[in-house]
Amino acid sequence: MYEFDWSSIPNALPFLWDGMMISLQITATAVIIGIVWGTLLALMRLSPIKPLSWFAAGYVNLFRAVPLVMVLLWFFLIVPHLLESLFGFPRGSDMRLGSAMAGFALFEAAYYSEIMRAGIQSVPKGQMSAASALGMTYAQGMRLVVLPQAFRNMVPLLLTQGIILFQDTSLVYVSALADFFGAAYKVGDRDGRLVELLLFAGAVYFVICFTASRIVRHYQQKLKTA
Amino acid sequence: MITMNNVSKHYGSFQVLTECSTQVQKGEVIVVCGPSGSGKSTLIKVVNGLEPFQSGEIIVNGLSVGDPKTNLSKLRSMVGMVFQNFELFPHMSIIDNLCIAQTKVLHRTQEVARDKGLKLLERVGLSAQAAKFPGQLSGGQQQRVAIARALAMDPICMLFDEPTSALDPEMVNEVLDVMTELAREGMTMMCVTHEMGFAKRVASRVIFMDQGRIVEDDSKEAFFANPRSERAQQFLAKILHH
């Protein structure tokens, strides 16, 4: 019978906390950059200018057709070399966190772009007509009339995608970066208490994500009745 | 003020407008009517370039709508338009709906825009609703706000695209009253509508359309007394006898 021993967790809490901060940093960066870049991609995709639309479609289809963990590896392995040779970054400088943020942001942008595209299309066409009829340019109509409504309609989906992203940040373990999952793994491995640490980490992920998705659901219901 | 010369438009092989020509003088009120699918909405949407057209020429206040060199946004800011489904901006309060284009397009200050907006709300009888959101208003109220929003831009003419078609019957008159008052004040107007009572009261001319063509373009007296085309006779017989 396996004897559980949780004693290595209390001492490891500061290290795990640092790991959690890294996970949250990656999530926040990827959500913010992902939504901004994703919105731009959605606008390009819907643009009447064909090359822009093709570029956005190609980008989105590419990133949605490859596994996330592979994109992360590209960024860990290839991008630092590129930066070294292009911008003269010192060889061997630790760019794992930066690479992870960039990889996630660019990958998630493809998904956010599809959400925003659906959001823009959920706004009745007459809204843009009304904006144009008042003398607004296409850009003004988008920025002042269509996008605010698209965002409002899509907030629950954008947040849900953020929760999935937070779970996916655990994939940075492939670069040995000590995010929350990586930190828990390292501690467990060091103390020979992998099972306890992974159960603990799982419980923490569950509590955070479950709470967050409840909040999203609450907001969604409020939006429906408003 | 508005001149259309042989304007034609098609979607693929479907002809929406065929060689439509007419003129609207300053202060005239033109009612455009006809069976559904006759192209009457399209006829007024080409006037401010909301719908492109393939051939012909439209001149509004000296500016050619079809000319790529024309600043369409500027032209549209001078031509008010009211839609069948109101198209108020649901994420903004009523007063913000009236101010947004004034500040962003005409670059008026917030105070000037607000004063103007409140005056126009008072004019359409909705001062008390300024802080509410469009979803909290009835259809008739929303359409009056939409008219006020268009008027806030000090337009040289107004286009109405079936402004009462989406309204409950008891709300039609409150909107028609605002439009009648506007017509009496000398606003140049093109109205697509089935409200023949409104046409009889305020129209200077009636344009009757069928299958993308302007079939009749006559004074209201002539149009209602003895329409020349058989199609218009049938249309009037159907619409007036009920």
Side-chain angles (χ1 to χ4, degrees):
Chain A
M1 181 68 189
Y2 184 81
E3 290 279 327
F4 283 103
D5 176 2
W6 306 94
S7 61
S8 58
I9 292 177
N11 282 332
L13 282 178
F15 183 60
L16 292 173
W17 177 257
D18 290 345
M20 181 56 80
M21 287 303 110
I22 289 181
S23 297
L24 291 175
Q25 268 176 42
I26 296 173
T27 308
T29 323
V31 166
I32 293 164
I33 298 178
I35 289 179
V36 172
W37 178 221
T39 303
L40 290 173
L41 284 168
L43 289 174
M44 286 189 225
R45 184 100 189 242
L46 297 170
S47 144
I49 304 163
K50 284 282 166 244
L52 282 183
S53 168
W54 289 332
F55 167 77
Y59 181 99
V60 170
N61 288 328
L62 171 71
F63 275 96
R64 280 168 30 116
V66 292
L68 172 56
V69 73
M70 207 166 85
V71 174
L72 292 177
L73 277 174
W74 288 346
F75 273 82
F76 293 135
L77 300 175
I78 303 166
V79 176
H81 287 298
L82 272 179
L83 291 177
E84 274 164 24
S85 50
L86 286 178
F87 301 107
F89 275 54
R91 191 162 285 277
S93 50
D94 189 0
M95 282 181 282
R96 284 180 304 174
L97 183 60
S99 301
M101 286 174 173
F104 273 107
L106 296 181
F107 184 85
E108 290 298 323
Y111 286 84
Y112 280 123
S113 147
E114 289 297 276
I115 294 174
M116 284 313 297
R117 186 160 71 114
I120 292 168
Q121 285 172 333
S122 75
V123 178
K125 287 227 184 323
Q127 289 283 301
M128 191 47 133
S129 300
S132 305
L134 285 165
M136 291 188 200
T137 59
Y138 180 81
Q140 283 178 319
M142 268 293 165
R143 189 161 50 82
L144 302 168
V145 175
V146 177
L147 283 180
Q149 296 182 59
F151 271 116
R152 200 179 57 171
N153 296 345
M154 289 297 131
V155 160
L157 279 181
L158 294 170
L159 291 176
T160 303
Q161 185 65 27
I163 296 169
I164 297 170
L165 169 59
F166 173 67
Q167 294 164 10
D168 286 348
T169 54
S170 57
L171 287 172
V172 296
Y173 84 93
V174 295
S175 73
L177 190 66
D179 73 316
F180 181 67
F181 177 76
Y185 193 93
K186 276 180 186 167
V187 172
D189 201 31
R190 182 195 65 195
D191 297 350
R193 289 288 159 205
L194 208 46
V195 174
E196 286 84 348
L197 262 297
L198 290 187
L199 282 173
F200 174 71
V204 171
Y205 275 112
F206 175 79
V207 168
I208 292 176
C209 294
F210 187 73
T211 314
S213 62
R214 281 283 138 162
I215 295 170
V216 171
R217 205 150 114 191
H218 178 74
Y219 181 87
Q220 202 166 12
Q221 233 111 58
K222 240 176 70 181
L223 200 73
K224 245 184 228 159
T225 53
Chain B
M1 170 128 346
I2 302 171
T3 307
M4 301 177 95
N5 275 328
N6 293 319
V7 173
S8 294
K9 173 183 175 62
H10 56 82
Y11 296 113
S13 64
F14 181 65
Q15 196 76 22
V16 197
L17 295 178
T18 308
E19 297 184 349
C20 294
S21 300
T22 191
Q23 283 194 7
V24 182
Q25 308 300 332
K26 190 168 164 31
E28 273 191 311
V29 176
I30 311 296
V31 163
V32 183
C33 61
S36 59
S38 58
K40 52 196 192 303
S41 281
T42 312
L43 186 77
I44 67 163
K45 282 184 178 158
V46 294
V47 171
N48 65 351
L50 272 190
E51 294 270 1
F53 54 95
Q54 280 84 22
S55 65
E57 182 187 49
I58 303 174
I59 308 288
V60 177
N61 201 32
L63 292 168
S64 169
V65 178
D67 186 344
K69 287 197 289 284
T70 300
N71 183 342
L72 264 187
S73 296
K74 184 130 197 277
L75 186 146
R76 287 177 185 140
S77 72
M78 303 188 299
V79 178
M81 184 156 205
V82 175
F83 297 84
Q84 185 174 356
N85 294 311
F86 331 133
E87 303 301 350
L88 295 181
F89 305 137
H91 58 301
M92 295 179 195
S93 66
I94 298 303
I95 187 67
D96 287 345
N97 263 279
L98 271 80
C99 291
I100 182 92
Q102 291 190 67
T103 53
K104 300 290 179 180
V105 176
L106 301 180
H107 305 294
R108 290 178 182 157
T109 65
Q110 191 63 39
E111 294 80 63
V112 172
R114 212 184 143 76
D115 279 355
K116 176 114 196 160
L118 288 173
K119 268 195 202 107
L120 284 163
L121 277 183
E122 196 180 326
R123 183 167 157 190
V124 298
L126 293 170
S127 303
Q129 321 292 337
K132 290 192 179 161
F133 281 79
Q136 298 170 286
L137 269 56
S138 73
Q141 290 175 323
Q142 289 192 51
Q143 195 61 299
R144 280 144 69 199
V145 172
I147 295 172
R149 179 174 70 176
L151 290 176
M153 305 295 283
D154 293 318
I156 55 168
C157 63
M158 290 279 286
L159 307 172
F160 291 84
D161 184 13
E162 304 205 32
T164 57
S165 304
L167 295 175
D168 289 337
E170 75 264 33
M171 292 169 183
V172 168
N173 280 331
E174 61 187 77
V175 172
L176 290 180
D177 286 346
V178 171
M179 290 169 63
T180 304
E181 199 188 308
L182 202 56
R184 299 244 154 94
E185 284 166 17
M187 177 60 79
T188 311
M189 293 160 64
M190 276 183 96
C191 314
V192 175
T193 182
H194 296 300
E195 299 293 338
M196 290 300 125
F198 172 77
K200 282 182 174 165
R201 271 204 310 281
V202 299
S204 341
R205 275 187 8 241
V206 177
I207 288 177
F208 178 79
M209 292 190 70
D210 188 32
Q211 295 178 2
R213 288 174 190 276
I214 294 180
V215 182
E216 311 241 352
D217 184 350
D218 226 333
S219 72
K220 70 173 168 195
E221 290 81 11
F223 179 75
F224 286 114
N226 49 355
R228 280 168 296 183
S229 69
E230 201 179 316
R231 193 68 191 83
Q233 285 165 15
Q234 288 167 356
F235 179 78
L236 280 176
K238 276 182 194 151
I239 206 166
L240 292 179
H241 288 201
H242 290 286

